[in-house]
Amino acid sequence: MKKPFNWMVLLCFLLAYNGVDAVSNQPYRTAFHFQPPKNWMNDPNGPMYYKGVYHLFYQYNPYSAIWGNITWAHSISYDLVDWVHLEHALSPTEPYETNGCWSGSATILLDEQPAILYTGANSENQQFQNLALPKNRSDPLLKDWIKSPHNPLIAPVDDIDPSNFRDPTTAWLGQDRLWRVIIGGEIGGSGMAILYRSEDFVNWTRSKSPLHLSNETGMWECPDFYPVSINGSNGLDTSVQDGLIKHVLKASFKEADHYVLGSYIPGTDTYSVENNFLSNGSDMRYDYGKFYASKSFYDSGKKRRILWGWIIESDSEADDTTKGWSGLQSIPRTILLGESGRQLVQWPIKELEKLRTKQVSFDDVDLKSGSLFEVPGITAAQADIEISFRLSGLKEAEEMNASWNDPQFLCKENNKALGKGAIGPFGLLVLASKDLTEQTAVYFRVFRNQYDKYVVLMCSDQSRSSQREGLEKATYGAFVDMDPLRETISLRSLIDHSIIESFGGNGKACITARVYPKIAINQEAHLYAFNNGSMDVRITRLSGWSMKRAQVVPIQKRRKSPID
């Protein structure tokens, strides 16, 4: 939909005259990731595209950098890069939400009216599902929301644990004209997606069977359910049920966002998965680092599905209180089914490239064994870098033990980035000090398995990320589903002061890290390519950009203005 001219002029005016410095003299505050000016933020809620405007709601504490007093904060954008903060959409005012307006989703109804379903928690932590509608649906900014007089719509009854019943998904419409929604729960120790149906979006009836469950997981938080095209390059609306598609079911548990692929049969509301959560060694995740409580939405303007994820801090609550803020959102990512059909692939949205400046590029750089190559000419603390590697001597790859099925364990214990294998470790040293006493290594190793196939391991090692004490300095790992005989190994890393989002194999594996260097901050940060393997590696292409700051406008208070 074409952007209304008056809104666009207004936004440009606000961004030009009210933009705030994203780092504000705080070395860990990000420059182009979404975060509110202060206080606590967690789950992304109800993202949607409506009348030419992108909306992001999110869990927020208006009073502190620690979780509590949870409201739905609200921000808008025309490009998912620059943002204007509006006043809060939902605050806990009713008995069924005394303990907070918790997570939920947005659905565009048949009459093009947006509707929010969200969880409220009462004073006893019993959780209920509620509805809110816009006061003025002709307002593309959706500034005012009204809670339904029918709330709570769905209560935890019968066998449902009232303290584990939350986070309704975007609803989808069946051919029988009934809406469906799933709610995360746990019954008898099994995590599950509890299915409800409704004709009018107010009166909901529970299905006799959950859409899906697993006895391997425990409680499912923030579930998501949506179709993906088997051979298409566009995203799909949540209600699409026909054609060459698979359905993705995502659940948040064990501090990560796990997903399965399967076939959904609309007539019976049954879902048959290819591999269940955590079964037979399967552990497919959106991101193998810091990434949780994610939410996707269909962008009808550009026919794509976009994914947001909450990135939690790795420092202490005392640190958060001192900073005055905690939590940020990932870069919005497009999400599609990969060519293999076995997994999803993710990539930062195209709009982010408008922040690129000061490009440097290199072709055909040989990384000898033990060598280090500094990437010059860009701001290493605030950068976007793409690099691809071609390998020689693959026959020399180390043999992989059949029991090595945990990539995080391999990254943590198998010599780490400073160790020396045959092929790798090779990759990037990010947010590194000049003397390398501080560094975050994002790298690859290649092994040969018992079937003479090559296995690509991607790691993110934060063990030397900071000389500060009291920080979580984790090491993350993922296998990249690719064949290095036929493909170059690629890596894209978005570096933004205290966060590094890395995409390996063109988005087949993603790892997000939170780090807090003591030395390698701002202009003292450096960026290197390295090779600690015994075999040489060639950089076929390296492109890096300094990144400008996204423009963020503080909360616009109610006053007579062109908005009103």
Side-chain angles (χ1 to χ4, degrees):
M1 180 176 179
K2 188 176 180 181
K3 301 169 187 173
F5 177 77
N6 57 328
W7 301 116
M8 194 62 184
V9 170
L10 174 63
L11 182 63
C12 291
F13 174 84
L14 291 172
L15 291 176
Y17 293 98
N18 293 302
V20 294
D21 185 334
V23 290
S24 301
N25 298 317
Q26 293 195 49
Y28 307 132
R29 189 156 178 90
T30 60
F32 55 89
H33 282 75
F34 179 90
Q35 57 185 140
K38 60 181 179 179
N39 296 335
W40 169 273
M41 174 178 66
N42 56 295
D43 309 359
N45 292 156
M48 64 176 152
Y49 180 75
Y50 182 70
K51 293 185 181 295
V53 180
Y54 292 103
H55 295 259
L56 177 64
F57 306 88
Y58 49 95
Q59 300 279 276
Y60 183 66
N61 184 347
Y63 310 111
S64 171
I66 309 301
W67 187 92
N69 309 298
I70 294 300
T71 69
W72 276 44
H74 182 195
S75 300
I76 61 164
S77 175
Y78 284 108
D79 59 7
L80 294 169
V81 175
D82 297 323
W83 291 88
V84 176
H85 296 304
L86 301 181
E87 292 191 78
H88 308 324
L90 300 173
S91 298
T93 58
E94 305 298 327
Y96 54 78
E97 59 188 17
T98 302
N99 199 29
C101 298
W102 290 6
S103 294
S105 305
T107 302
I108 306 297
L109 303 181
L110 289 176
D111 59 357
E112 296 301 313
Q113 173 171 255
I116 285 173
L117 289 174
Y118 71 99
T119 297
N122 68 12
S123 58
E124 299 177 358
N125 201 33
Q126 296 172 318
Q127 296 157 19
F128 304 87
Q129 315 314 317
N130 308 293
L131 172 66
L133 299 170
K135 181 178 180 180
N136 178 10
R137 56 190 289 187
S138 65
D139 173 17
L141 304 190
L142 299 174
K143 296 187 300 299
D144 296 293
W145 290 83
I146 298 175
K147 297 169 187 175
S148 171
H150 302 286
N151 287 344
L153 305 186
I154 307 175
V157 297
D158 300 328
D159 57 343
I160 295 176
D161 179 353
S163 63
N164 284 312
F165 180 60
R166 55 186 177 271
D167 311 334
T169 64
T170 297
W172 69 95
L173 188 66
Q175 295 178 351
D176 55 7
R177 314 311 285 171
L178 294 179
W179 289 99
R180 274 89 167 157
V181 69
I182 57 175
I183 299 165
E186 178 182 3
I187 298 177
S190 296
M192 63 182 60
I194 306 172
L195 178 68
Y196 289 81
R197 303 182 186 91
S198 176
E199 184 176 358
D200 58 5
F201 223 79
V202 172
N203 299 286
W204 294 86
T205 301
R206 180 182 173 184
S207 174
K208 293 181 179 179
S209 301
L211 181 72
H212 191 59
L213 60 81
S214 170
N215 58 14
E216 299 289 334
T217 66
M219 172 65 189
W220 286 2
E221 293 190 295
C222 302
D224 208 358
F225 188 67
Y226 57 89
V228 287
S229 174
I230 290 177
N231 54 14
S233 58
N234 291 332
L236 300 174
D237 181 84
T238 308
S239 291
V240 169
Q241 296 159 22
D242 297 324
L244 295 175
I245 63 174
K246 293 185 179 184
H247 270 78
V248 178
L249 175 62
K250 186 275 297 187
S252 301
F253 56 85
K254 296 184 178 180
E255 299 182 343
D257 277 13
H258 307 254
Y259 72 90
V260 293
L261 297 170
S263 299
Y264 169 60
I265 302 175
T268 56
D269 282 325
T270 54
Y271 181 60
S272 175
V273 301
E274 298 172 358
N275 289 290
N276 207 354
F277 292 108
L278 305 183
S279 66
N280 302 317
S282 175
D283 184 16
M284 295 193 297
R285 303 185 192 182
Y286 282 164
D287 193 296
Y288 290 81
K290 287 281 186 183
F291 190 95
Y292 194 72
S294 62
K295 185 67 62 178
S296 74
F297 75 101
Y298 177 64
D299 175 5
S300 60
K302 295 193 174 180
K303 295 181 172 58
R304 58 187 177 174
R305 181 161 289 272
I306 293 176
L307 177 70
W308 287 96
W310 169 41
I311 315 299
I312 197 172
E313 303 295 320
S314 294
D315 57 4
S316 66
E317 285 192 355
D319 290 326
D320 296 342
T321 300
T322 299
K323 291 183 306 191
W325 55 270
S326 177
L328 55 140
Q329 298 295 326
S330 69
I331 289 299
R333 309 170 178 183
T334 58
I335 187 166
L336 292 166
L337 185 66
E339 290 182 2
S340 70
R342 297 188 296 264
Q343 66 174 133
L344 300 171
V345 294
Q346 301 164 61
W347 201 247
I349 57 167
K350 183 73 174 177
E351 291 91 328
L352 188 69
E353 296 176 13
K354 80 172 195 172
L355 298 180
R356 288 174 169 177
T357 184
K358 291 184 181 179
Q359 181 182 7
V360 297
S361 61
F362 302 91
D363 294 317
D364 297 323
V365 177
D366 287 324
L367 281 178
K368 300 294 184 182
S369 175
S371 65
L372 196 68
F373 171 74
E374 182 165 10
V375 181
I378 61 173
T379 304
Q382 194 170 303
D384 183 358
I385 184 165
E386 298 183 8
I387 188 170
S388 58
F389 302 93
R390 180 174 293 131
L391 309 180
S392 60
L394 276 169
K395 293 182 179 179
E396 304 300 321
E398 299 158 84
E399 186 174 349
M400 185 173 183
N401 190 299
S403 65
W404 293 356
N405 56 11
D406 183 344
Q408 183 165 339
F409 177 82
L410 277 176
C411 291
K412 185 176 182 180
E413 300 299 328
N414 201 342
N415 296 325
K416 297 187 178 181
L418 292 181
K420 188 167 186 176
I423 303 177
F426 62 89
L428 297 174
L429 299 180
V430 180
L431 294 176
S433 60
K434 187 67 175 178
D435 62 2
L436 297 181
T437 56
E438 289 187 340
Q439 56 176 270
T440 296
V442 185
Y443 65 92
F444 300 96
R445 293 192 67 179
V446 179
F447 300 91
R448 187 180 69 254
N449 67 17
Q450 58 186 326
Y451 307 107
D452 280 333
K453 301 293 184 181
Y454 294 106
V455 177
V456 178
L457 174 70
M458 177 180 170
C459 303
S460 178
D461 176 9
Q462 291 99 66
S463 62
R464 291 171 294 278
S465 61
S466 177
Q467 294 193 11
R468 287 181 54 196
E469 300 297 329
L471 302 173
E472 179 188 351
K473 300 176 185 178
T475 297
Y476 304 119
F479 293 122
V480 187
D481 185 15
M482 62 174 297
D483 184 355
L485 273 175
R486 296 174 175 80
E487 305 170 70
T488 59
I489 297 178
S490 69
L491 174 66
R492 181 179 180 185
S493 287
L494 299 171
I495 307 158
D496 196 1
H497 298 275
S498 65
I499 181 172
I500 306 161
E501 289 189 68
S502 296
F503 301 80
N506 295 314
K508 293 178 180 177
C510 307
I511 301 179
T512 297
R514 293 304 308 278
V515 297
Y516 310 89
K518 185 176 181 180
I519 302 169
I521 60 176
N522 297 328
Q523 298 304 316
E524 298 304 315
H526 297 263
L527 175 66
Y528 300 90
F530 78 100
N531 176 23
N532 283 343
S534 60
M535 304 300 296
D536 295 347
V537 174
R538 168 164 286 195
I539 299 174
T540 57
R541 176 72 175 172
L542 186 157
S543 295
W545 297 264
S546 296
M547 295 290 279
K548 295 182 291 186
R549 295 172 183 164
Q551 296 295 308
V552 182
V553 179
I555 290 177
Q556 299 302 296
K557 297 295 184 181
R558 298 302 170 85
R559 62 186 185 277
K560 291 184 178 180
S561 72
I563 292 181
D564 296 323

